[in-house]
Amino acid sequence: MRTQGALAAGALLVGAACAASTPPGVVRWDISRRDRRQELARLGKRADTYEEVITNEEMRGGYFATCQIGTPGQDLTLQLDTGSSDIWVPASTAQVCSRRGDRGCSFGSFNPDESETFEVVGEGNFDISYVDTSYAKGDYFTDVFEIGGAVIQNMTMGLGSDTDINHGLVGVGYPQNEAIVGTTQSLRSMYPNLPIQMVNEGLINTAAYSLWLNDLDASSGNILFGGIDTKKYVGELTRIDILPTIEDIRTSFKVYLTSLQAVSASGKDTLTSRKFPIPVVLDSGTTLSYLPTDIAQQTWREVGAIWSDQLGNAVIPCKMRTSKGYFSFGFAGPSGPRIKVGMDELVLDLTSGPAPLFTSGKYSGEEACRFGIQNFTSAPYLLGDTFLRSAYVVYDLVNNQIGIAATDFNSTESNIVPFPSLSAHIPSATPAPDQAQATEKPSFTTPAYAAKSGFLDLNAPAPESGDESAASGLGPVFGAGQMAVVGLTMVLTMLGSGLFVLL
Ligand SMILES: *[C@@H]1O[C@H](CO)[C@@H](O)[C@H](O)[C@H]1NC(C)=O
Ligand SMILES: *[C@@H]1O[C@H](CO)[C@@H](O)[C@H](O)[C@H]1NC(C)=O
Ligand SMILES: *[C@@H]1O[C@H](CO)[C@@H](O)[C@H](O)[C@H]1NC(C)=O
């Protein structure tokens, strides 16, 4: 996500698919998941430090895809980000691209001198920075941009002549969040960004797209501009309203999270927060999810995750990924849609090498992983890829709504339905009932933790749907005292870099 009262950045790298067999009015772009760790491993180069791996993985993990820019087309692999709104590419002359080996721009860079159609439209006007403080600066330019077999003749993009990021991004958020609007502090400087320009050039009927990230274990998903794919989700597709940032202006895909339940073999716990209803931004550019500390700590307690001061992250024994327990995220009030996120999507590797081991504390000797729900101090909170993989999400920038349903993991079937016209509502989707109730503040009660032991019994199946009459559990496994920060020492064995001991 771009800075501007925002938090984490990250990104989905969108890769261009070859021309897909899609009906007119939709453009499909296949994306593949890649993270910094894999990138480093792929290039046979070890990470310099553990810190860097953590930071990069968090901020730069994501989904990538290929596109062609200019005439003749130059191939670039870019990261897809719903949390920012500009397309930008590193210039081939940028210093970051002249570094040797994988430190340079291995995903491609753009050479304006080799494009006959390149035109500068805003000299020195492009200046973007992301929440992890990385940045890109240079000119705004227009050129031909080709994705997924669709050709956009006149696309405005940023040229990163001065940047510390070695690959470009495709921001598909609201034009109101373009970097130029932040620079000039004026909405009058907005230009038609990718979803808008695709409408302007007649490629799609309305400014909307659907994102299917697929399973953590699968390497790819896709973004479908101008349509939905009814075979990529199960159950109902429900429309909920996107919240404005100020007055009537929307700058991010922010919705209210109105409930969170932990469901496991021993029952269901309803988690609570003083921050309900919690404004959360659906940000494909962020790897993890970030919730207010009170409720994040409850999720940790459910699954036995512990806070590591050294890593600044909640960590969990890797074996917990086989737990059958899941969290159920509720939106738009009591009768709104709910999305289940299983533990297999919430336990992530910390490094590309062998997993680090806990060397002290109650998990001593066990493999350590990162937990997919972390805490953050202030709004807006974020639902990143650890949440989004379990959801099929349609972003409708014209009606300011998202459509959300449970994803159909690994679906190989396809039934694409285009939006029929500009400002048409999301096809096949029904509005969430009683959305007004989403703003109600529930009374705060302490969760019972009745069901906590269920997450820890790895062989016990979780009930299919959360039964309101939560079964009485086996009692808390950890005393309240252990919710406090647990000091932890990890021994890290990294690819080719020997042994690190973090204090
Ligand atoms: C290309 O787009 C820019 C920015 O929207 C606009 O100013 C310019 O007139 C367009 N050029 C053509 C040839 O349509
Ligand atoms: C999806 O496919 C991946 C890779 O083939 C596999 O590891 C994973 O278990 C599958 N997920 C589901 C939910 O079937
Ligand atoms: C997250 O929780 C930990 C443990 O309670 C705390 O030390 C840390 O400051 C919190 N981080 C944020 C950003 O609130």
Side-chain angles (χ1 to χ4, degrees), residues 317-325 342-345 347 454-461:
C318 298
K319 67 169 192 224
M320 287 302 293
R321 67 164 53 105
T322 64
S323 167
K324 310 287 189 301
M343 284 298 282
D344 51 337
E345 300 292 332
V347 178
F455 275 85
L456 303 181
D457 179 351
L458 299 181
N459 297 315

Side-chain angles (χ1 to χ4, degrees), residues 206-289:
T206 193
Y209 50 86
S210 310
L211 202 51
W212 181 64
L213 298 185
N214 205 4
D215 205 332
L216 181 57
D217 293 325
S219 59
S220 60
N222 65 50
I223 180 167
L224 193 63
F225 291 96
I228 68 162
D229 186 340
T230 64
K231 298 284 193 195
K232 293 287 186 279
Y233 62 87
V234 289
E236 286 269 297
L237 186 61
T238 310
R239 299 190 330 237
I240 59 183
D241 296 334
I242 297 169
L243 302 169
T245 305
I246 30 164
E247 286 163 17
D248 228 9
I249 300 166
R250 285 163 184 81
T251 57
S252 65
F253 301 118
K254 188 165 64 179
V255 296
Y256 277 135
L257 175 69
T258 49
S259 69
L260 182 60
Q261 271 129 13
V263 184
S264 65
S266 54
K268 179 170 78 166
D269 284 334
T270 296
L271 306 185
T272 56
S273 173
R274 290 194 161 78
K275 301 279 168 57
F276 270 130
I278 303 171
V280 288
V281 173
L282 304 177
D283 185 3
S284 68
T286 297
T287 308
L288 306 178
S289 295

Side-chain angles (χ1 to χ4, degrees), residues 144-375:
V144 179
F145 182 77
E146 185 176 347
I147 54 163
V151 180
I152 297 134
Q153 296 295 344
N154 183 22
M155 189 67 236
T156 303
M157 296 170 270
L159 184 63
S161 304
D162 173 14
T163 177
D164 58 357
I165 313 173
N166 68 355
H167 62 262
L169 272 88
V170 174
V172 287
Y174 281 106
Q176 284 80 357
N177 195 34
E178 288 164 1
I180 187 73
V181 175
T183 306
T184 60
Q185 291 292 302
S186 166
L187 287 174
R188 273 195 294 268
S189 47
M190 267 184 333
Y191 65 87
N193 72 347
L194 184 62
I196 309 292
Q197 189 62 9
M198 287 177 83
V199 176
N200 291 350
E201 297 201 11
L203 295 163
I204 56 177
N205 295 324
T206 193
Y209 50 86
S210 310
L211 202 51
W212 181 64
L213 298 185
N214 205 4
D215 205 332
L216 181 57
D217 293 325
S219 59
S220 60
N222 65 50
I223 180 167
L224 193 63
F225 291 96
I228 68 162
D229 186 340
T230 64
K231 298 284 193 195
K232 293 287 186 279
Y233 62 87
V234 289
E236 286 269 297
L237 186 61
T238 310
R239 299 190 330 237
I240 59 183
D241 296 334
I242 297 169
L243 302 169
T245 305
I246 30 164
E247 286 163 17
D248 228 9
I249 300 166
R250 285 163 184 81
T251 57
S252 65
F253 301 118
K254 188 165 64 179
V255 296
Y256 277 135
L257 175 69
T258 49
S259 69
L260 182 60
Q261 271 129 13
V263 184
S264 65
S266 54
K268 179 170 78 166
D269 284 334
T270 296
L271 306 185
T272 56
S273 173
R274 290 194 161 78
K275 301 279 168 57
F276 270 130
I278 303 171
V280 288
V281 173
L282 304 177
D283 185 3
S284 68
T286 297
T287 308
L288 306 178
S289 295
Y290 296 83
L291 293 178
T293 296
D294 59 357
I295 199 164
Q297 287 183 338
Q298 291 164 37
T299 66
W300 303 345
R301 185 164 168 172
E302 289 285 343
V303 301
I306 52 177
W307 175 258
S308 161
D309 260 342
Q310 290 82 9
L311 300 177
N313 264 262
V315 293
I316 184 169
C318 298
K319 67 169 192 224
M320 287 302 293
R321 67 164 53 105
T322 64
S323 167
K324 310 287 189 301
Y326 61 84
F327 290 91
S328 175
F329 289 74
F331 300 89
S335 36
R338 291 183 185 197
I339 302 293
K340 290 180 193 175
V341 182
M343 284 298 282
D344 51 337
E345 300 292 332
L346 288 170
V347 178
L348 282 80
D349 293 339
L350 276 161
T351 70
S352 56
L357 303 178
F358 289 96
T359 56
S360 68
K362 63 176 183 281
Y363 296 135
S364 188
E366 295 190 42
E367 291 183 342
C369 275
R370 189 201 313 274
F371 187 51
I373 301 174
Q374 300 287 337
N375 59 327

Side-chain angles (χ1 to χ4, degrees), residues 12-187:
L12 272 179
L13 284 185
V14 178
C18 302
S21 57
T22 49
V26 289
V27 173
R28 195 184 83 190
W29 204 10
D30 290 345
I31 53 184
S32 54
R33 191 168 69 87
R34 207 168 278 171
D35 61 35
R36 185 66 178 171
R37 294 165 302 132
Q38 289 166 334
E39 184 189 334
L40 291 167
R42 189 173 54 86
L43 297 162
K45 174 103 192 254
R46 69 175 172 85
D48 300 62
T49 67
Y50 187 72
E51 279 283 318
E52 188 185 8
V53 174
I54 297 283
T55 308
N56 285 333
E57 197 264 332
E58 221 170 284
M59 298 305 183
R60 294 266 163 260
Y63 291 77
F64 290 71
T66 321
C67 65
Q68 287 78 43
I69 300 175
T71 311
Q74 302 177 29
D75 288 325
L76 284 99
T77 299
L78 304 175
Q79 186 173 16
L80 177 67
D81 185 13
T82 61
S84 66
S85 305
D86 296 270
I87 299 176
W88 77 266
V89 291
S92 50
T93 51
Q95 213 166 16
V96 70
C97 297
S98 60
R99 295 201 201 138
R100 275 180 304 147
D102 66 296
R103 310 291 299 163
C105 298
S106 55
F107 285 174
S109 59
F110 184 67
N111 183 348
D113 296 339
E114 286 178 7
S115 172
E116 291 159 21
T117 39
F118 170 86
E119 213 172 307
V120 172
V121 290
E123 203 177 328
N125 280 350
F126 172 64
D127 185 351
I128 195 166
S129 48
Y130 299 91
V131 189
D132 62 352
T133 73
S134 62
Y135 67 93
K137 293 176 192 179
D139 301 334
Y140 269 111
F141 70 99
T142 56
D143 210 330
V144 179
F145 182 77
E146 185 176 347
I147 54 163
V151 180
I152 297 134
Q153 296 295 344
N154 183 22
M155 189 67 236
T156 303
M157 296 170 270
L159 184 63
S161 304
D162 173 14
T163 177
D164 58 357
I165 313 173
N166 68 355
H167 62 262
L169 272 88
V170 174
V172 287
Y174 281 106
Q176 284 80 357
N177 195 34
E178 288 164 1
I180 187 73
V181 175
T183 306
T184 60
Q185 291 292 302
S186 166
L187 287 174

